[in-house]
Amino acid sequence: MSLLSIRNLTKTFGGLTAVSDLSFDVEEKSVVGLIGPNGAGKTTVFNLITGNYQGDRGDILFDGAAIAGLPIHRIVTLGIARTFQTIRLFQNMSVLENVLAGRHCRMKSGLLSSMFKPPAEKREEQEALRFALGELAFVGLKGQATQKAGSLSYGNQRLLEIARALATEPRLLILDEPAGGMNEQETEALVGLIGKLRERGLTILLIEHDMSLVMRACEKLVVLEYGCKIAEGPPLEVKSNPKVIEAYLGAD
Amino acid sequence: MEEFFQQLTNGLAVGCIYALIALGYTMVYGVLKLINFAHGDLFTLGAYLGLTLLTSLGLSGRLGPLLGLLLLAVLVMGFVALTGALLERAAYRPLRQSPRLSAVVSALGASIFLQNTIMLIYGARIHVYPQDILPKVALEIGGVSIPLVRILVFVVSLLLMGALFLFIQRTRLGTAIRAAAIDQAAARLMGINVDQVILIVFLIGPGLGGVAGLLVGLYYGQVNFTMGWVYGLKAFTAAILGGIGNIPGAMVGGLILGVIEALGAAYISVAWKDAIAFLVLIVILIVRPTGILGERVADKV
Amino acid sequence: MIDAKYKMGGFIALAMLLAVSPLFLNAYWVDVLNSVGLYALLALSLNVILGDAGLYNMGHAAFFAVGAYTAAYLNTQFGVPILWALPISGISAGLFGVVLARPVIHLRGDYLLIVTVGVGEIIRIALINNVFGVTGGPNGIFGIARPELFGFRIRRPQEFFYLIWGFVAVTVFLFARLKNSRFGRALDCLREDPVAAEGSGINTGRYQLLAFMVGAAWAGMAGCLYASKMTIISPESFSFWESVLIFIIVILGGAGNIAGVILGTFLIIGLPELFRGFASARMWFFGLAMMIMMIFRTEGILPHRPRIFKNLDRLLP
């Protein structure tokens, strides 16, 4: 059974149909790319999955259960974590605190235990710190833990968003243009990182404009144009699909 | 029924005054996203200035009531507008890149400063406007008598609001103000001189507020140095009610608030008048979180 | 690290100086310190809502009033001792905070601000109009008993000093812990970017309400202490101006910074007492000073800083 399954999803804004009768599956432990020209509705699909938008019709099944209509933080807790196209870090907090924020949903301490700090709370904090530092080391930001998030380079901010998402222990990781604003070396490192994430057993759904990255990192592509799916399949097959070629050339 | 219309026209007159003040809040907010807490005190300044000019220059005596008041209004408007622009320069411009709440506290400081400046100059007692400026006549319509001063409030505020509306909708500068309110950065990129827009807004808003002060002086016949807080708060409520940043919204919000207060005081309870106004505000915001004419802004993700 | 140690040492020295100050100050100045202490409690409680969670609340006096009137009513009608009324005041104000915030919490910044102003005014007007016949109208409630601790009646300013500042100390201790915890971090995230916070798995709606609850509850307890110190309370003590003053203290002192908020209280409540001689020009200077302060220290006197974690190396894998 696939981990994420989108069925006949439709979303309109006013008179504009952003996503139209879209269906596709994301298999467990696979890397799937959602591509298409600007304005094709890719980020809208992401926002529908994460609960930031509510669809008009259709179902979103995660691990067999419908998640449409759940609050955003519940969806995160169920195991879907995301990064944002326009980086949304807690700019004035430290790098480490940003990752700890992602750890929040796996922690239990409430108001009173936060105030009175019984041993269980202290243990949990230590555990969270250790976990967060582990994820920072994983994405290669260990040395910057105490810096302000806003002071990181653009590429590193993207990595920090991934670390924050990883801290929620997701099963499905949704990356919205992870290579956006990265230079060639950083993009290269990102391809490596996606490979490592995959080795960890994560399922990844990503939007990306960098075609060389998409071709190397993904094993399946879903192509959108004007909110409709126009092609789906392995990268090489999709690349030679005449409809896809037309969509890209036509858009440019 | 007569009582009702009496209260209604009274409410509309007060509403016009609220609307005039609210315009200053909403225009400044539109461009700077700043609640100009000192705006209420600029309104008070207008009221006191009007009083000084009335008594010292004796304008109405020399030019006749209407021409005299017109000249008075122009003088008050000009002076308060200049004070507003000066305030922007001194207290707000240095804070443009700062956290929003710092500017709010600077505005509160400016409010306290202005209020106490007025107090130090005029003293803390209530001042009475001369009672003989306008002839004591009233318009009778179907048993409802509308005093001349009330009609004056209507005419002056509607003229000013109409002029403002045309200015905002029809002129280049008005378009620039609207553009800067929607997206300051984009407006700058389009070659709009945002600093100039801000200056204009800080001239028009306080100018209108100053005239509102003069009108309150004429309407109620007395002024005190703390009245800026009460009227400022009401007008700000009106601006929020209409949808802050939205110019027609401020006008609608002001009128609605004035009418609700007048009718609430007459038919429900005078003692609860202010509470009713705020209660209506809260209910409307629960139903329409961005005010009556405010646009819904979705959180962009 | 050495820097942090000096800072800590400085704080302790100041706290000790404050603790012994009633021994050499006269009753008037001790009373000033008491009022600084009460405002510090109010500002610390507002700081949770405004400074930590970033929710614009300019009606904090309403919670202060609910706590004060709860204590006054319970004490004068049912003879509940003031210190017993303390938790009840806190709970009633906290509940009131939640009930009030529930329908309006989703409003954007400035809309929330005017709603809280409105609520503050509604409460004040309700108190004046003797709502439910329990608030005593414009005259308020009088004859509130002094607090009693282990059979000892707290009466003189010097005695109140230790009650109030003792409570401030407990508050600082608890709130500092709260800041460095899962709860505090969630509020930080909420202030920085609510959308990102929700997207990171934080139940932002719940934390907004909890922030209001904690802040309101603490203001309520401050109200209880205030009622017993004054023995008379009336609506004018809970005016819009009080809410504005507490708001100013938090922002001027340093939103989100506990030491900054306390320092801000000393500056705004304590310092003007030194200039009593200039009665009428005092407020004029006050306004001017506020503008100048904000221009030169835009983030407050002691701005909020990211938390520093100790011994991180030990935890590294």
mmCIF file of all heavy atoms in Angstrom, chain A residues 31 86 94 96 112 124 144 156 161 222 246:
data_model
loop_
_atom_site.group_PDB
_atom_site.id
_atom_site.type_symbol
_atom_site.label_atom_id
_atom_site.label_comp_id
_atom_site.label_asym_id
_atom_site.label_seq_id
_atom_site.Cartn_x
_atom_site.Cartn_y
_atom_site.Cartn_z
ATOM 1 N N VAL A 31 11.196 8.379 -3.452
ATOM 2 C CA VAL A 31 11.367 9.822 -3.597
ATOM 3 C C VAL A 31 10.590 10.254 -4.836
ATOM 4 O O VAL A 31 10.864 9.808 -5.938
ATOM 5 C CB VAL A 31 12.850 10.205 -3.760
ATOM 6 C CG1 VAL A 31 12.984 11.716 -3.943
ATOM 7 C CG2 VAL A 31 13.656 9.737 -2.551
ATOM 8 N N THR A 86 9.196 29.764 0.648
ATOM 9 C CA THR A 86 9.846 30.959 1.163
ATOM 10 C C THR A 86 10.244 30.589 2.578
ATOM 11 O O THR A 86 9.404 30.343 3.409
ATOM 12 C CB THR A 86 8.856 32.114 1.242
ATOM 13 O OG1 THR A 86 7.700 31.643 1.938
ATOM 14 C CG2 THR A 86 8.447 32.595 -0.107
ATOM 15 N N SER A 94 17.834 30.710 18.125
ATOM 16 C CA SER A 94 19.070 30.056 17.709
ATOM 17 C C SER A 94 18.744 28.880 16.791
ATOM 18 O O SER A 94 17.613 28.395 16.750
ATOM 19 C CB SER A 94 19.862 29.590 18.931
ATOM 20 O OG SER A 94 19.211 28.497 19.532
ATOM 21 N N LEU A 96 19.676 25.880 17.130
ATOM 22 C CA LEU A 96 19.270 24.742 17.944
ATOM 23 C C LEU A 96 17.805 24.862 18.384
ATOM 24 O O LEU A 96 17.044 23.892 18.320
ATOM 25 C CB LEU A 96 20.195 24.648 19.169
ATOM 26 C CG LEU A 96 19.962 23.478 20.107
ATOM 27 C CD1 LEU A 96 20.078 22.149 19.366
ATOM 28 C CD2 LEU A 96 20.965 23.513 21.258
ATOM 29 N N LEU A 112 2.530 22.812 33.768
ATOM 30 C CA LEU A 112 2.989 22.663 35.151
ATOM 31 C C LEU A 112 4.360 22.024 35.229
ATOM 32 O O LEU A 112 5.222 22.472 35.986
ATOM 33 C CB LEU A 112 1.973 21.857 35.954
ATOM 34 C CG LEU A 112 0.690 22.629 36.250
ATOM 35 C CD1 LEU A 112 -0.290 21.761 37.006
ATOM 36 C CD2 LEU A 112 0.995 23.909 37.021
ATOM 37 N N GLU A 124 13.494 14.630 29.620
ATOM 38 C CA GLU A 124 12.914 14.845 28.291
ATOM 39 C C GLU A 124 13.649 15.966 27.545
ATOM 40 O O GLU A 124 13.929 15.854 26.356
ATOM 41 C CB GLU A 124 11.432 15.191 28.436
ATOM 42 C CG GLU A 124 10.699 15.197 27.116
ATOM 43 C CD GLU A 124 9.260 15.647 27.252
ATOM 44 O OE1 GLU A 124 9.026 16.793 27.685
ATOM 45 O OE2 GLU A 124 8.365 14.849 26.933
ATOM 46 N N GLN A 144 27.005 25.365 13.898
ATOM 47 C CA GLN A 144 26.282 26.637 13.946
ATOM 48 C C GLN A 144 25.156 26.640 14.975
ATOM 49 O O GLN A 144 24.311 27.532 14.978
ATOM 50 C CB GLN A 144 25.683 26.954 12.571
ATOM 51 C CG GLN A 144 26.678 27.530 11.581
ATOM 52 C CD GLN A 144 27.272 26.458 10.686
ATOM 53 O OE1 GLN A 144 27.554 25.353 11.141
ATOM 54 N NE2 GLN A 144 27.480 26.763 9.431
ATOM 55 N N ASN A 156 22.180 27.259 3.983
ATOM 56 C CA ASN A 156 22.136 26.650 5.315
ATOM 57 C C ASN A 156 20.753 26.798 5.960
ATOM 58 O O ASN A 156 20.331 25.952 6.729
ATOM 59 C CB ASN A 156 23.202 27.257 6.215
ATOM 60 C CG ASN A 156 24.566 26.658 5.927
ATOM 61 O OD1 ASN A 156 24.660 25.628 5.249
ATOM 62 N ND2 ASN A 156 25.620 27.301 6.416
ATOM 63 N N GLU A 161 15.809 24.166 7.857
ATOM 64 C CA GLU A 161 14.390 23.817 7.749
ATOM 65 C C GLU A 161 14.209 22.307 7.661
ATOM 66 O O GLU A 161 13.280 21.751 8.249
ATOM 67 C CB GLU A 161 13.762 24.491 6.526
ATOM 68 C CG GLU A 161 13.300 25.905 6.778
ATOM 69 C CD GLU A 161 12.043 26.231 5.979
ATOM 70 O OE1 GLU A 161 11.892 25.693 4.874
ATOM 71 O OE2 GLU A 161 11.205 27.012 6.485
ATOM 72 N N VAL A 222 5.665 13.462 -10.962
ATOM 73 C CA VAL A 222 4.288 13.782 -11.300
ATOM 74 C C VAL A 222 4.340 15.183 -11.896
ATOM 75 O O VAL A 222 4.892 16.089 -11.288
ATOM 76 C CB VAL A 222 3.384 13.759 -10.058
ATOM 77 C CG1 VAL A 222 1.974 14.217 -10.407
ATOM 78 C CG2 VAL A 222 3.368 12.370 -9.447
ATOM 79 N N GLU A 246 5.967 19.993 -24.322
ATOM 80 C CA GLU A 246 5.145 21.113 -24.774
ATOM 81 C C GLU A 246 4.827 22.070 -23.631
ATOM 82 O O GLU A 246 4.935 23.290 -23.767
ATOM 83 C CB GLU A 246 3.862 20.577 -25.399
ATOM 84 C CG GLU A 246 3.100 21.629 -26.181
ATOM 85 C CD GLU A 246 1.701 21.152 -26.533
ATOM 86 O OE1 GLU A 246 1.492 19.926 -26.615
ATOM 87 O OE2 GLU A 246 0.825 22.003 -26.689
#
